[in-house]
Each structure stands twice: as C-alpha cells, then as structure tokens.
Amino acid sequence: MPLQKNRLNGNNPNLEPRKIDWARIALAVFISCFIFTFGILAGYFGRDVLEGSIIGIQEHTKNELLSIETITLLDDNYPCSNSILETTSEKLNELGDLITLLEKRKGFNDEEVLELKKLYSLIEIRHMLLLTHREKECKQNYNIFLFFYSNEKTCKSEVDKLAFILSYLRKNEESIKVYSFDIWLDSDLIKILKEENKISGCSGIVLNGKKVTKDIYQADQLKELLKNNVNKTLS
Amino acid sequence: MEILIKIIVYVSIFIGLFTTVYYLLGFLRKEEKGSIPKILPFCTIIIPAYNEEDCIEKTTLSALTINYPKNKLEIIIVDDGSKDRTLEISRSIEKKFSNVKVITKKNGGKGSALNLGIKNSHGEIIISLDSDSEVDSNALLPMLPYFNNPQVMCVTPTMRVLKPKGILQRLQAFEYDMGTFLRKAFATLDSINVTPGPFSAYRKSFFERYGGYNEKTITEDMEIAMRIQSLNYKIESSLGSVVYTIAPKNFMDLIRQRRRWYTGLIQNLTDYKYLFGKRYGEMGLISFPLIIVSILTVSIITIYYVIKGVYDGYHAVSLYYYNGFDFINNMNFKWSILTNSFYGTITEPFILFSILFIIVSFIIVYYFNLKTPSKERGPTMFLNYIIFTIFYGVFYTIWWIVSIYYAFTKKQIKW
C-alpha cells in the first residue's frame, strides 16, 4: 500500500466545484440581522426606561436637596438638636453618591447634572454654615474639609487619591465633615470660595478654613494635620 | 481605542449570531445514512502508543469490550519505541486475546505509528484509537450506516472527557460537549476540519488510494481531514459513538496539548490554503474563514478586557496605599449604588447579547448531548458550563498566543 510517499491532495483544477446553498446563507444573514437589530433596540429601550429612572433620581435629588435646606432652617427653632444634624449629614452623603452616579451615567458635562451639582453645592455651603454656627453656639467640635476637584482626565489620579483619602477619614472620624466642590462649576459661590482660598490646578483642600499647602500622599498626613490643629480634637 | 473595541465587539456579536443561526439551519438538511449493513465489514482498531504504561491496558480492554463480532474485529497496538513498560503491558494483552496484535518500531511519531498499523491491518474500516482514551462498548455500530454512502471516507465520534475533576478538566468537558454540536454542524455543511484521534473510523481504500497519515505534521488527524475535504469526499459525525478521553489535569499539560493542536491548525490551514474560497463551497466560503475570524475577535476582545480589568483593579487596590491598606475600615456597601449599576449594565446591548449567547449555547449543547449516550447530564453539565463561561476566553487566548508564537518561530513540537 503506498503510504506517505504517494500522498495526494485535491489541489486539482479538474475537481468539480462544490455547490453552495445560497438560500440557506441568505436566510442565516436575514435571521441574524433580525436578532441583532432586535437586541440593539432592546438595549436602547432598556436605556429609555433607565433614562426615566434617572429623571426620577434627579427629581428625587432636587426634592431631597430642598428638604435639607428646610431642615437646616429648623435649626433656628431647635438649636443644638443632634437629630437635625444627623439627618441632614446622612442625606447629603446619599445625594453626593447619587450625583456621582448621575455623572457616570450622563457624563460630567450634562446640563441637568451640572444644575443639580450647583444646587448641591449651595446646600453643602448651607450645611457647612450650620456646622460653624453650632461650633460657636453649641460648643461642638468639627473638622471641616473643603475639597475642590476637577473632572478633567489629566487630574483623575490626583483627584481620585484625595477623594479616597477624605472619604476614608470621613468614614472613620465622626468629627470630620467633607464638602466637595467642582472647581469648574459655573457658580458664583464656588468662584468666591476658590478665590478666597487661592485654589488652582486639579485640586485643593481647605481644612478648618486654612488651605492645606503641602502635598498629601497618605491619609496619615491629614490625620497629623488634624492633631496639630489646636482648637480641634479627634475622636 | 474604546470605540474600536466596541466596533470589534459588535461585529463579532453579529458574526457569532450568524454562525449560530447558520449552523442550526444546517440541521434542516435530512441526514441520509441508511441502516447497519447486513454483512458487517471487517474493522481494525489501531492504538498508537508512546510511553503510555498508565493507560494502554484500559484503552485496549475498552476496545475489546466493543459490541461487534470478534471475528470481524482486530486490534493492533503500535508501540512507537516507548521507553517505559508500554510494550511489556501490550505483549501481555496480546497473549490473552487472539484478536490483539502488537507491533513495535523505532520512535517516529504518531503518524508513522498509525501508518505501520494500517500497513499491517486486514480491516475494510480502519479506526484510530488514542491510547489515552476509553471507548464506549456501543460506539462502533452507529458509525457503519454512514459508510453506506460511498462518498463518506471518515466518521468521527462524540468525544467526552473521562471523569472530569477540577476546573481545568470541567472546562474541557464542556468544550468537548460543545464540540459535539459543532462537529455535527460542520458535518452537515461538509466542513469538518479534524478527525479526532480517539475513535475516528476511515475507509481503508482512502489510505490505499491517497496515501496514509502525513508523518511530518504534528496534527495528523487534521491533515487527513483536510485531505479528505480537499478531494471533495465526506466526513460524517456519529452522535451515538461515544469515546472518553483523559483530559490534561494541569495547566502546563493543557497548554502543551493546545499548542500542538493550534500550531497544527495553523500549519494545515497554511498547507491547504486553497480550501478557502468559493471552489470548496460553504466550507471555503464560510466555515473555514469563520475559524480565523473567531480566533482573532475572541483574542482581541479578551486581551483588551483582561488588560482593562487588571488596570482598573490595580487602580482600585492601589488607592488603598493611601490609607495604609486599611481595607476593613473602608468598607462601604450601598444597595442603591449596586442596583443602579446593575440596571445600567444590563441595558448595554453587548451585555444583552452575551446573556442571550450564554443561554442559547447551553440549550443547544444540552439538547445535542441528550441525543448521545452520555454519562453526564443536568447539574454536572451546568457546573462545567459555568466554569467554561468564566475561564474559557482567557485560556483560549493564551493557547492561541503561545501557538502563534510557536508557529511563527517554527519551534519543534513533539506528540
């Protein structure tokens, strides 16, 4: 038996070409186009539903912001009430998370998100004033951080780092309150705060009214700064 | 870059959809195989063995239990110059069973061992049986009706992993289950590109007319399949013929196996490049080009997402450097964020298609395996599928990168 030596293959021009079932190919193309289009449309339909839920979140956020504003006004009637402060702080944190989520979904430059951020910033400042008022009137101690950040891509690593450190400190020290502001937000109040504190570049931190001038590399550095702050105490 | 990847993702989704629909439509073609012939042909099972002292006995004994008249079945063990006890064990089996014959030769590779076996065979039908496989006792008879068609030169079996354990074997178990569907689909489209070593049956006349196995290639089972295709003969797939094979247990053995397979595929596709194109019908126009396209798209997408995942993961973890890696005091679980992210992800068309593919592929594979006398069903298969879904893309890409490297550097690979 001629093995191996006599290996033949079909690279032979005389070999009859195979038949092609064009109808089956066309049907396969048609069905796959149909499923593909259906899948894309289903995705967009889902997005529309989601958009609806985003609008819901926006409305909810607006209402909540207004309710915080109202609650803070109650402070005049019930001075030094802990429940008012706890409720407003919690809500503010929650809304901050929601705005972050909206930023991710709709983008940093979405008009409605920017409007919400403006409103949020105003309430933050209102809340901060409430705290400073309490420090004087109720003899409560707080360490107030103002965190200025930019959403520009080149600033991402620096901003992420500082946001992480501040968020970590806030979680672990009750006396720490952090208020974040988008540097580029078209808000007169933020512009004033920026100018007052001489904020420029990607980010800036102000601790209890004083700008933190040295570069922050670790959470411990901020803790150290807090310890050195004579008027404040760490829990 | 992200836009380019998205385009590749959606193009590959469309190709995946087309492939699935196209293969499924192939089953609309009625199978013409007739019945088992009244006069059964004489069959020869050839077991090429190189250093297989651990499994040669089991493999041969499984072949001996095949439901087929003993006077019409011979088993030839070809010892390819083993350095262990393979020859000794084979000789002891030969003494016990009159239809077992042992031949020994200088090491020359699997192809040469099979060719020597064919040379010494008396069968009208030649069946190769890898020495790390165990054949089901009812595997042979369902293959015979296909040979009623004189155009059929080979019938391939349904392969299963023998008692899969651990992640790697379970992953391969589902891959083999999927192969059952794919091989059947390829058969309906006359596009089978490999006739697996474990229990593929050939017409001996093919070897006599067109020569034996190619001894130079590392994947002789691919070369012979492509040669059959190149001559416009048919290769069929028999769902009822189950053979169990020992799958590699560890990563290095697996990568060695795949390197051999995939490097062999590159080598054979290059040698038989003329099979691409209209002249070879749907195989040349669709099936073979799809192999290349799927390799490229799966690899590109996996590489991108693995790199992105590692980068994002590194970024997330590296932030903990700033708090002295205090993971415990930084825990912050919020249900609302989790649900919102979930809804945001689920509405991505890419994710929707992935879910569709996951469900459909499992149903298809499960359905086809119901048609085979398989030992594994339901929960075990589902577990294998979960492991397959999670890990396969990454493994597949690694195997291909290694194989492409070996193919282009022309490094030598042995069996």
Side-chain angles (χ1 to χ4, degrees), chain A residues 140-162:
Chain A
Q140 291 172 344
N141 280 324
Y142 298 103
N143 288 294
I144 298 171
F145 280 98
L146 303 187
F147 173 45
F148 295 89
Y149 67 92
S150 164
N151 278 328
E152 282 174 288
K153 270 190 180 175
T154 46
C155 299
K156 195 179 179 324
S157 63
E158 185 185 323
V159 168
D160 281 355
K161 176 186 78 178
L162 292 175

Side-chain angles (χ1 to χ4, degrees), chain A residues 7 12 47 97 105 168, chain B residues 223 279 326 334 340 348:
Chain A
R7 194 163 65 87
N12 175 358
R47 275 198 183 165
D97 290 338
R105 290 245 188 98
Y168 169 74
Chain B
E223 193 282 331
R279 191 175 149 211
D326 182 3
K334 282 184 183 166
N340 279 318
E348 273 287 327

Side-chain angles (χ1 to χ4, degrees), chain B residues 81-327:
Chain B
S82 298
K83 288 167 188 157
D84 62 359
R85 291 177 57 245
T86 304
L87 183 61
E88 187 189 328
I89 296 165
S90 304
R91 291 275 187 226
S92 70
I93 303 169
E94 187 184 27
K95 277 178 195 166
K96 286 181 206 162
F97 300 94
S98 59
N99 59 341
V100 176
K101 192 158 94 180
V102 177
I103 308 168
T104 187
K105 65 183 269 293
K106 214 177 122 188
N107 182 258
K110 193 173 159 188
S112 70
L114 282 163
N115 282 341
L116 188 64
I118 296 169
K119 214 173 185 176
N120 287 278
S121 69
H122 298 97
E124 208 180 308
I125 302 292
I126 302 290
I127 301 153
S128 65
L129 180 61
D130 282 356
S131 48
D132 56 354
S133 311
E134 288 176 30
V135 62
D136 184 84
S137 57
N138 294 315
L140 182 50
L141 283 173
M143 287 180 152
L144 298 180
Y146 292 101
F147 285 108
N148 289 336
N149 179 353
Q151 285 297 106
V152 172
M153 286 298 151
C154 177
V155 180
T156 60
T158 294
M159 284 172 71
R160 290 272 180 279
V161 170
L162 186 70
K163 295 170 191 157
K165 279 174 197 156
I167 288 179
L168 282 184
Q169 284 194 330
R170 287 190 177 280
L171 178 139
Q172 293 171 82
F174 194 83
E175 186 192 24
Y176 279 57
D177 290 342
M178 198 164 228
T180 306
F181 160 69
L182 286 175
R183 202 171 297 113
K184 195 72 195 166
F186 272 58
T188 63
L189 300 161
D190 292 328
S191 305
I192 288 184
N193 62 14
V194 59
T195 49
F199 220 69
S200 283
Y202 304 85
R203 229 181 255 283
K204 191 179 180 180
S205 57
F206 179 84
F207 293 117
E208 288 168 341
R209 201 166 162 202
Y210 299 106
Y213 284 95
N214 183 346
E215 295 175 13
K216 284 175 187 162
T217 178
I218 45 166
T219 46
E220 68 299 318
D221 47 1
M222 257 178 225
E223 193 282 331
I224 197 91
M226 294 208 188
R227 201 178 341 148
I228 294 171
Q229 294 291 5
S230 74
L231 291 154
N232 274 353
Y233 287 116
K234 284 182 180 293
I235 302 171
E236 288 289 357
S237 163
S238 171
L239 290 178
S241 307
V242 177
V243 60
Y244 297 91
T245 186
I246 301 166
K249 275 182 201 162
N250 63 59
F251 186 73
M252 284 320 289
D253 285 347
L254 182 60
I255 209 160
R256 264 192 286 271
Q257 183 200 56
R258 299 311 165 114
R259 189 182 64 195
R260 191 172 70 81
W261 287 4
Y262 296 169
T263 311
L265 180 65
I266 295 169
Q267 192 184 71
N268 283 304
L269 283 177
T270 313
D271 288 350
Y272 285 90
K273 53 183 175 289
Y274 58 84
L275 292 181
F276 287 84
K278 216 172 146 188
R279 191 175 149 211
Y280 281 93
E282 289 169 58
M283 176 182 76
L285 203 64
I286 297 172
S287 302
F288 275 18
L290 276 178
I291 296 173
I292 313 262
V293 172
S294 65
I295 294 164
L296 287 175
T297 51
V298 170
S299 302
I300 291 170
I301 293 167
T302 310
I303 289 169
Y304 174 77
Y305 280 107
V306 166
I307 291 172
K308 191 176 183 299
V310 169
Y311 176 79
D312 290 349
Y314 171 77
H315 180 68
V317 173
S318 66
L319 282 173
Y320 281 86
Y321 164 77
Y322 303 120
N323 73 356
F325 294 98
D326 182 3
F327 290 97

